[in-house]
Amino acid sequence: MKKYAWTYDAHTAQGSTAFTINHELHKARRQPLNPLFSKPKVYSSEAMIHMYAEKLCQRISEYSGTTFDLGAASLAFTQDVATEYIMRRTYGSLDREDFDVSMLVVLQGAGRVWRLNKHLRWYGHLLKLLPMNLLSKIAGDTLTTFLLRLHVSRSAKK
């Protein structure tokens, strides 16, 4: 099945793995990732997953009799497990007082950015060209937090 270009490169990641042009190309690009997600590999991380589950339960118990953002709490759990499992690092979202709700807001807003990039193909490329300090001034607190984390993450890879 041939997909439209905007379905697989709207985030300026041309020919991305997640939304490739056809099934065979997707299968070929996914092949190197298969060992990372095999049953034995995932099973070997069971203790780490349980540790984060216990931390989540402990954090939820702190809110006995009060309200809290369950969406942010579950995203914090998922994010901590996924980043440790895949990248062998964590951002400590479960340790943050607000469960790192800024990441939830950013991820929920990603759909709007994708739709904008879909129709204004130059928009994402423009954002990539802007210096971080200018982006931080115009982005708002939540997106700035995400951008700074992304910048730190990219700096750590170099």
Side-chain angles (χ1 to χ4, degrees), residues 20-41:
T20 53
I21 296 171
N22 64 50
H23 173 72
E24 293 305 317
L25 183 56
H26 175 74
K27 187 176 175 182
R29 288 181 176 168
R30 191 185 64 224
Q31 183 70 31
L33 299 175
N34 286 346
L36 183 64
F37 297 103
S38 69
K39 284 183 184 182
K41 179 73 173 169

Side-chain angles (χ1 to χ4, degrees), residues 104-115:
L104 177 62
V105 173
V106 168
L107 292 171
Q108 287 174 334
R112 288 187 293 257
V113 173
W114 180 80
R115 285 186 292 281

Side-chain angles (χ1 to χ4, degrees), residues 32-89:
L33 299 175
N34 286 346
L36 183 64
F37 297 103
S38 69
K39 284 183 184 182
K41 179 73 173 169
V42 172
Y43 183 75
S44 72
S45 298
E46 184 178 14
M48 180 264 299
I49 295 168
H50 280 284
M51 181 211 39
Y52 283 116
E54 288 173 18
K55 186 182 280 191
L56 173 64
C57 291
Q58 188 272 324
R59 286 296 316 276
I60 289 173
S61 70
E62 294 171 7
Y63 290 93
S64 178
T66 61
T67 61
F68 68 98
D69 189 337
L70 182 58
S74 61
L75 178 67
F77 167 77
T78 303
Q79 185 171 288
D80 282 353
V81 169
T83 54
E84 183 163 329
Y85 179 77
I86 295 169
M87 301 180 333
R88 296 290 179 232
R89 64 184 297 183

Side-chain angles (χ1 to χ4, degrees), residues 90-105:
T90 182
Y91 292 109
S93 297
L94 281 172
D95 297 323
R96 297 176 194 259
E97 185 177 334
D98 67 347
F99 293 109
D100 207 7
V101 73
S102 60
M103 284 304 295
L104 177 62
V105 173

